[in-house]
Amino acid sequence: MIVENTQTQMRKGILEYCILSIIAKGEIYASDIISELKKARLLVVEGTLYPLLTRLKNNGLLSYNWVESTSGPPRKYYVLSDEGRKVLEQLDGTWQELAFAVQTAIGDRNN
């Protein structure tokens, strides 16, 4: 149980960063975000993603556009705002610092 809880907390900690990074590549539909996260082995369900997207939008980090679909109702496509790009740039720096810190901390413990 302790390991599973720690793994969950670690994933939650980087999920927002990964979502912003995916959206930064260009306008994207929510199910495509989920696909990208699954490819990265970050298992996310719609019930997790949509509240996060709403919070990011409410914080001014992204916006969305409605696009007509040929196979059903219009789709909501997400895009980063200028503020979202600034925040992502800061998070890129934070990620580099954290990755270095973790790599340094674990070092060569297996040798």
Side-chain angles (χ1 to χ4, degrees), residues 11-20 37 42 44 48 52:
R11 283 189 171 103
K12 282 183 182 178
I14 62 168
L15 186 58
E16 189 171 307
Y17 174 56
C18 291
I19 290 169
L20 289 172
L37 292 169
L42 285 170
V44 176
T48 302
L52 251 173

Side-chain angles (χ1 to χ4, degrees), residues 18-38:
C18 291
I19 290 169
L20 289 172
S21 295
I22 290 167
I23 296 171
K25 296 174 187 176
E27 194 174 65
I28 189 166
Y29 185 54
S31 66
D32 295 329
I33 296 171
I34 291 173
S35 295
E36 289 292 315
L37 292 169
K38 285 182 180 178

Side-chain angles (χ1 to χ4, degrees), residues 12-13 17-18 20 23 26 39 42 45-46 55 57-58 61 67 70 73 81 86 94 96 103 105 107:
K12 282 183 182 178
Y17 174 56
C18 291
L20 289 172
I23 296 171
K39 276 198 295 189
L42 285 170
V45 295
E46 288 181 10
R55 185 164 49 83
K57 181 196 171 294
N58 290 343
L61 303 183
V67 177
T70 56
S81 66
K86 290 176 189 172
T94 301
Q96 293 302 317
Q103 193 58 47

